[in-house]
């Protein structure tokens, strides 16, 4: 009898330990915010699309970014997302978080973790245009897992598909826009796209503007709705005298910010004229190395990424309102320079390059890193590989009070 009691106690303790281990396995991987849940296990893409419980959805890129901003406990796992990619790699996006930054991979196969974001209540809105012409994600006809009632962009043909009974039914041909934009900021700018970006969950309520015709759209309930054409408010032109050099340069006041509408012409160690010709300095400003951050006059500074994004949001990314009407090698038929007047003045990279075709300026990104903004007459891009290169400078300051 005594032996039986000992065995019973041993089994009871063993079961208790096993239950504790199982309970531990069932705990979420992170401390979930109230509107997020993290599922145990790993999932294929098709399983992930349908894994979230009612009232939740697979989060997109923008929702992941907001999660990182407001959450201290960050998961270091790879998760399926309902994100997207415009370009040659149009595969399902896998988001993962490392060192409080979000990264993406693109893959059809494999098994990943699943996080679910709570649906937000969508208030009824009135739109001028009821036509819906984009979807929540790229999808391949060979991968027919999808969410009932959702629209998708076809991987093979960029057509618009509707999900019915977990199969895809084509409802519209592909839409062609001008060109792919290099960078996109929700609720500010604007696109020169071959295709509209998907109106995914994190984009709900956001507004974008197409750069080539300044038409405004708003994302609502996973569909883009037209709001009408945006009017271009007049800008104010000005003049500033550099107290150190006595040189005057032209400025342009855009909303609350004042920009130099000419490249800075200020002598500093290491600066130079394009082609080592003084006339290029006089016409287009000087080229500076990485000490450029010290070249702006007092009360002025190098532009930040947010300054450029605001500028793009005002005028679009196609450059017609910002580029000069002269000196470009390409014959741009549409030129509407408002006074920002970008000339294709080239840059330095183991020699003088790009005159007539491209130009670039020093700037700061959101983490205060120095990098270059480039413009080829049609679109803007950025470059972090700036070691031993030289670019021009546009300075910016908050609009002075009158």
């Amino acid at each position: 009898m005594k032996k039986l009691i000992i065995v019973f106690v041993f089994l009871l303790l063993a079961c208790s330990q096993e239950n504790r281990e199982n309970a531990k396995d069932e705990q979420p991987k992170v401390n979930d915010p109230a509107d997020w849940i993290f599922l145990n296990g790993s999932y294929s893409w098709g399983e992930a699309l349908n894994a979230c419980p009612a009232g939740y959805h697979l989060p997109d890129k923008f929702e992941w970014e907001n999660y990182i901003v407001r959450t201290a406990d960050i998961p270091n796992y790879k998760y399926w997302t309902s994100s997207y990619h415009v370009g040659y790699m149009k595969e399902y996006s896998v988001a993962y978080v490392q060192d409080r930054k979000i990264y993406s991979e693109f893959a059809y196969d494999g098994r990943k973790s699943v996080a679910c974001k709570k649906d937000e209540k969508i208030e009824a809105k009135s739109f001028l245009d009821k036509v819906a012409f984009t979807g929540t994600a790229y999808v391949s006809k060979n991968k027919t897992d999808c969410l009932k009632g959702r629209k998708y962009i076809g991987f093979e043909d960029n057509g618009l598909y509707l999900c019915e009974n977990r199969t895809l039914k084509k409802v519209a041909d592909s839409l062609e826009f001008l060109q792919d934009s290099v960078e996109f900021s929700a609720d500010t700018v604007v696109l020169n796209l071959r295709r509209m970006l998907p109106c995914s969950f994190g984009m709900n309520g956001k507004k974008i503007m197409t750069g080539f015709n300044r038409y405004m759209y708003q994302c609502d309930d996973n569909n883009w709705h037209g709001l009408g054409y945006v009017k271009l408010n007049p800008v104010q032109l000005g003049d500033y005298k550099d107290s150190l050099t006595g040189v005057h340069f032209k400025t342009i006041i855009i909303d609350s910010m004042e920009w130099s509408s000419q490249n800075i012409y200020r002598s500093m160690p290491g600066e130079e004229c394009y082609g080592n010709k003084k006339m290029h300095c006089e016409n287009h400003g000087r080229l500076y190395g990485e000490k450029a951050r010290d070249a702006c006059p007092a009360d002025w500074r190098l532009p930040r990424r947010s300054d450029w994004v605001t500028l793009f949001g005002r005028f679009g990314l196609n450059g017609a309102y910002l580029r000069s009407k002269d000196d470009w090698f390409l014959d741009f038929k549409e030129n509407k320079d408002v006074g920002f007047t970008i000339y294709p003045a080239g840059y330095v990279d183991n020699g003088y390059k790009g005159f007539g075709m491209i130009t670039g300026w020093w700037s700061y990104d959101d983490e205060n890193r120095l990098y270059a903004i480039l413009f080829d007459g049609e679109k803007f891009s950025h470059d972090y590989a700036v070691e031993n290169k030289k670019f021009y400078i546009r300075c910016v300051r908050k609009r002075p009070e009158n």
Side-chain angles (χ1 to χ4, degrees):
M1 183 66 179
K2 191 173 183 179
K3 290 183 178 180
L4 287 175
I5 293 173
I6 293 172
V7 171
F8 176 78
V9 171
F10 176 81
L11 290 174
L12 185 63
L13 290 172
C15 290
S16 178
Q17 177 67 23
E18 183 180 356
N19 288 338
R20 283 195 297 270
E21 291 297 324
N22 290 338
K24 182 179 178 182
D25 291 340
E26 291 171 2
Q27 292 301 311
K29 296 166 185 166
V30 296
N31 295 323
D32 307 348
D35 54 346
W36 284 69
I37 57 175
F38 290 78
L39 305 183
N40 291 319
S42 60
Y43 300 78
S44 68
W45 170 247
E47 291 169 344
L49 276 174
N50 298 279
C52 292
Y56 287 80
H57 61 267
L58 206 60
D60 62 19
K61 167 184 163 184
F62 300 104
E63 289 172 321
W64 270 109
E65 289 174 345
N66 290 333
Y67 175 90
I68 292 169
V69 167
R70 65 189 178 94
T71 309
D73 194 1
I74 300 299
N76 282 299
Y77 297 90
K78 293 185 179 180
Y79 293 89
W80 289 112
T81 77
S82 63
S83 192
Y84 53 83
H85 184 78
V86 177
Y88 297 107
M89 295 174 60
K90 297 177 294 185
E91 302 181 359
Y92 303 124
S93 175
V94 181
Y96 65 98
V97 181
Q98 187 172 347
D99 299 327
R100 299 192 65 83
K101 294 180 183 178
I102 187 168
Y103 298 89
S104 294
E105 292 180 352
F106 300 94
Y108 283 107
D109 301 316
R111 302 182 71 84
K112 309 290 185 255
S113 299
V114 168
C116 301
K117 171 72 169 62
K118 191 173 184 179
D119 296 342
E120 295 179 8
K121 183 179 179 181
I122 301 173
E123 297 179 359
K125 292 183 176 69
S126 175
F127 293 97
L128 300 176
D129 181 358
K130 295 295 183 182
V131 177
F133 55 87
T134 190
T136 57
Y138 282 109
V139 67
S140 171
K141 287 178 285 187
N142 298 323
K143 300 281 183 178
T144 56
D145 290 296
C146 54
L147 285 171
K148 181 180 179 181
R150 295 292 181 194
K151 296 186 177 72
Y152 294 85
I153 299 174
F155 176 85
E156 291 85 1
D157 60 0
N158 296 313
L160 185 63
Y161 289 82
L162 177 66
C163 181
E164 294 181 350
N165 299 321
R166 297 184 72 170
T167 59
L168 297 170
K169 176 183 177 182
K170 190 169 185 178
V171 294
D173 292 328
S174 61
L175 291 165
E176 294 295 324
F177 281 70
L178 291 184
Q179 63 198 26
D180 290 343
S181 66
V182 177
E183 204 166 320
F184 170 71
S185 179
D187 215 16
T188 47
V189 194
V190 219
L191 311 172
N192 293 316
L193 290 174
R194 291 193 181 95
R195 300 160 290 278
M196 284 294 288
L197 289 173
C199 170
S200 53
F201 287 98
M203 288 290 292
N204 242 335
K206 302 296 184 183
K207 297 176 183 176
I208 66 168
M209 179 179 71
T210 50
F212 61 94
N213 65 0
R214 298 182 56 79
Y215 195 83
M216 184 72 75
Y217 298 92
Q218 184 171 10
C219 173
D220 185 76
D221 196 20
N222 302 112
N223 292 315
W224 287 112
H225 302 270
L227 300 179
Y229 291 95
V230 180
K231 293 182 180 180
L232 185 65
N233 296 326
V235 299
Q236 180 182 342
L237 303 180
D239 180 88
Y240 179 82
K241 181 181 178 180
D242 186 345
S243 60
L244 181 64
T245 64
V247 173
H248 286 260
F249 58 85
K250 296 177 181 178
T251 68
I252 180 170
I253 297 174
I254 302 170
D255 299 326
S256 64
M257 302 302 293
E258 185 173 15
W259 289 72
S260 59
S261 57
Q262 296 173 276
N263 296 334
I264 296 299
Y265 180 71
R266 201 179 205 189
S267 295
M268 284 184 62
E271 55 80 15
E272 61 183 291
C273 303
Y274 188 92
N276 201 27
K277 296 180 180 179
K278 186 177 180 181
M279 66 175 227
H280 285 310
C281 272
E282 293 172 346
N283 293 335
H284 304 117
R286 297 179 186 268
L287 287 155
Y288 299 85
E290 293 185 55
K291 291 185 178 179
R293 65 189 75 202
D294 303 320
C296 288
D299 300 327
W300 294 75
R301 59 173 172 78
L302 290 182
R304 301 187 183 97
R305 179 184 177 276
S306 58
D307 298 317
W308 288 105
V309 168
T310 301
L311 185 73
F312 302 154
R314 178 71 184 276
F315 298 106
L317 290 171
N318 69 339
Y321 294 95
L322 302 175
R323 65 173 173 250
S324 66
K325 297 179 181 179
D326 305 310
D327 294 344
W328 290 93
F329 178 78
L330 297 177
D331 181 19
F332 297 114
K333 295 180 180 179
E334 182 185 45
N335 284 288
K336 302 177 181 180
D337 182 21
V338 296
F340 203 80
T341 316
I342 299 173
Y343 289 94
Y347 61 98
V348 174
D349 179 14
N350 294 318
Y352 301 106
K353 296 182 179 179
F355 194 87
M357 299 291 293
I358 195 170
T359 193
W361 309 270
W362 289 106
S363 189
Y364 290 115
D365 69 3
D366 294 336
E367 297 184 0
N368 215 36
R369 294 175 297 182
L370 201 62
Y371 75 131
I373 293 284
L374 305 173
F375 180 63
D376 65 3
E378 291 185 310
K379 62 183 182 297
F380 290 84
S381 59
H382 64 266
D383 185 9
Y384 279 98
V386 294
E387 188 176 358
N388 299 322
K389 295 181 183 179
K390 293 184 179 181
F391 301 97
Y392 296 98
I393 288 178
R394 292 286 182 109
C395 297
V396 66
R397 67 174 177 172
K398 191 165 182 63
R399 180 178 181 178
E401 298 293 336
N402 292 330

